[in-house]
């Protein structure tokens, strides 16, 4: 029997839900998404911010979503230095111990450091992870420095989340199905995340009437190396879970590689031939990752 490493937590499908949309919140608890992001930021109008915080706090306290990870997207650092919304978000949410807090509109590495400091100043429990949104050109250019915070002792940083709509706007792009003009930015953030062992999630797809377009973009995201995709509609969950999971053929190939390397007759060998293909230890490591993925 194979002895596989512990499976990493999957984030193939991460669904944004406005914290004031009671119908969507009730439904989200029954859905097959890997995680939920309770949104206190863009999806909530100014006059509803306080109510959104209290709803999110209540849902966290009663464990409304069961074992599903719940991330809370807080309001970001204000340009005018008035961070009252962010401070109130953290004060209300952190005692209920969400899985993670997602800070939007991180621009420079200094903003990421401020996020770390804000969590510490708000006495965030050790278990609460930090997620950061990369949605400006400055953040893409600073992605390596931002991701490097994960290398610090006791670091909370776990994930980078692409905000592709805001990024396209800031880059003055006309959206295209190929996302050709965004590919450099997407790959730059992914490389930075991988350099420091972070989860990296692709941005949302907004055309809810275009299921084929969503699948195409998700396939592109998986091909680029993303761990999963952020979503805005329940109908996007099934294709995201399917596309960001290993296929039966991939699992079969991975199993053959692992079995070959772990066979007593091949102990100590660095290179083998499996099903007519030359494979090395790096392929063995990749195969283990496939077998323990979602």
């Amino acid at each position: 029997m194979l002895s596989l490493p512990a499976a990493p937590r999957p984030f193939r499908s991460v669904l944004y839900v406005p914290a004031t949309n009671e119908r969507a919140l009730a439904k989200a608890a029954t859905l097959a998404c890997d995680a939920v992001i309770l949104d206190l930021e863009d999806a909530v109008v100014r006059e509803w911010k306080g109510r959104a915080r209290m709803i999110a706090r209540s849902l966290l306290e009663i464990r409304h979503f069961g074992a599903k990870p719940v991330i809370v997207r807080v309001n970001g650092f204000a340009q005018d230095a008035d961070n009252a919304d962010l401070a109130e978000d953290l004060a209300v949410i952190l005692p209920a111990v969400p899985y993670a807090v997602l800070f939007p509109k991180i621009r420079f590495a200094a903003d990421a450091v401020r996020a770390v400091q804000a969590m510490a100043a708000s006495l965030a429990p050790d278990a609460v992870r930090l997620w950061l949104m990369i949605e400006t050109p400055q953040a893409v250019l600073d992605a390596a420095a931002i991701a490097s915070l994960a290398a610090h002792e006791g670091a909370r940083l776990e994930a980078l989340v692409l905000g592709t709509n805001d990024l396209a706007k800031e880059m003055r792009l006309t959206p295209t199905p190929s996302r050709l003009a965004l590919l450099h930015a997407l790959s730059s953030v992914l490389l930075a995340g991988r350099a420091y062992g972070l989860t990296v999630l692709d941005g949302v797809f907004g055309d809810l009437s275009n299921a084929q377009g969503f699948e195409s973009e998700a396939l592109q995201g998986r091909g680029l190396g993303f761990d999963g995709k952020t979503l805005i509609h329940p109908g996007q969950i099934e294709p995201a879970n399917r596309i960001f999971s290993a296929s039966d053929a991939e699992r079969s190939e991975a199993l053959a590689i692992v079995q070959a390397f772990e066979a007593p007759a091949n102990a100590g060998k660095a290179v083998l031939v499996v099903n007519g293909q030359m494979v090395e230890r790096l392929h063995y490591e990749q195969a283990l990752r496939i077998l323990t993925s979602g």
Side-chain angles (χ1 to χ4, degrees):
M1 179 178 292
L2 294 178
S3 177
L4 298 176
R9 185 183 294 274
F11 289 107
R12 303 163 301 174
S13 54
V14 181
L15 181 68
Y16 284 104
V17 185
T20 52
N21 189 330
E22 295 183 15
R23 181 179 177 184
L25 291 167
K27 184 174 183 178
T30 69
L31 298 174
C33 53
D34 287 334
V36 169
I37 297 175
L38 297 180
D39 195 1
L40 306 181
E41 193 218 10
D42 283 349
V44 179
V45 297
R46 177 76 184 179
E47 55 268 28
W48 283 78
K49 296 287 187 184
R51 177 172 171 78
R53 291 181 194 110
M54 298 314 299
I55 291 173
R57 167 76 174 257
S58 176
L59 294 176
L60 288 166
E61 288 179 335
I62 66 173
R63 297 297 182 256
H64 174 72
F65 300 97
K68 197 185 304 293
V70 180
I71 300 93
V72 179
R73 180 162 76 166
V74 295
N75 289 279
F77 296 111
Q79 297 296 316
D80 60 4
D82 178 8
N83 293 308
D85 280 331
L86 170 58
E88 190 65 20
D89 288 345
L90 295 175
V92 171
I93 293 300
L94 286 174
V97 195
Y99 177 82
V101 173
L102 174 59
F103 278 73
K105 296 179 176 61
I106 295 297
R107 300 166 301 156
F108 308 104
D111 286 339
V113 172
R114 290 175 71 192
V116 172
Q117 293 170 341
M119 293 280 281
S122 301
L123 304 179
D126 291 343
V128 181
R129 302 292 88 204
L130 176 63
W131 289 20
L132 300 175
M133 290 203 72
I134 307 298
E135 48 191 335
T136 68
Q138 301 102 315
V140 173
L141 293 174
D142 247 11
I146 291 169
S148 72
L149 293 178
H152 295 179
E153 185 177 353
R156 296 179 185 273
L157 183 57
E158 178 183 79
L160 302 178
V161 181
L162 270 294
T164 45
N165 288 336
D166 281 273
L167 183 58
K169 176 179 73 71
E170 294 292 329
M171 293 175 66
R172 304 177 191 172
L173 301 179
T174 300
T176 62
S178 71
R179 299 200 295 182
L180 180 61
L182 279 176
L183 292 183
H184 174 73
L186 298 178
S187 292
S188 294
V189 176
L190 186 66
L191 281 169
R194 289 291 177 264
Y196 294 95
L198 298 177
T199 294
V200 189
L201 301 178
D202 198 359
V204 301
F205 183 85
D207 187 353
L208 301 182
S209 65
N210 187 359
Q212 183 176 354
F214 174 84
E215 293 215 12
S216 295
E217 188 168 291
L219 284 166
Q220 180 194 52
R222 189 189 177 198
L224 288 170
F226 286 103
D227 296 292
K229 195 160 180 65
T230 47
L231 315 175
I232 57 173
H233 191 273
Q236 298 173 334
I237 295 171
E238 184 281 327
N241 284 345
R242 170 168 38 84
I243 289 168
F244 285 96
S245 295
S247 67
D248 290 343
E250 289 171 322
R251 287 185 177 278
S252 178
E253 180 182 2
L255 181 60
I257 291 172
V258 170
Q259 288 177 329
F261 271 101
E262 295 190 355
N266 294 325
K269 292 183 179 179
V271 180
L272 298 174
V273 175
V274 179
N275 295 332
Q277 299 290 321
M278 188 186 77
V279 293
E280 303 175 61
R281 297 296 299 186
L282 67 91
H283 299 106
Y284 169 72
E285 293 168 6
Q286 291 171 332
L288 285 175
R289 190 176 303 116
I290 288 171
L291 293 177
T292 57
S293 65

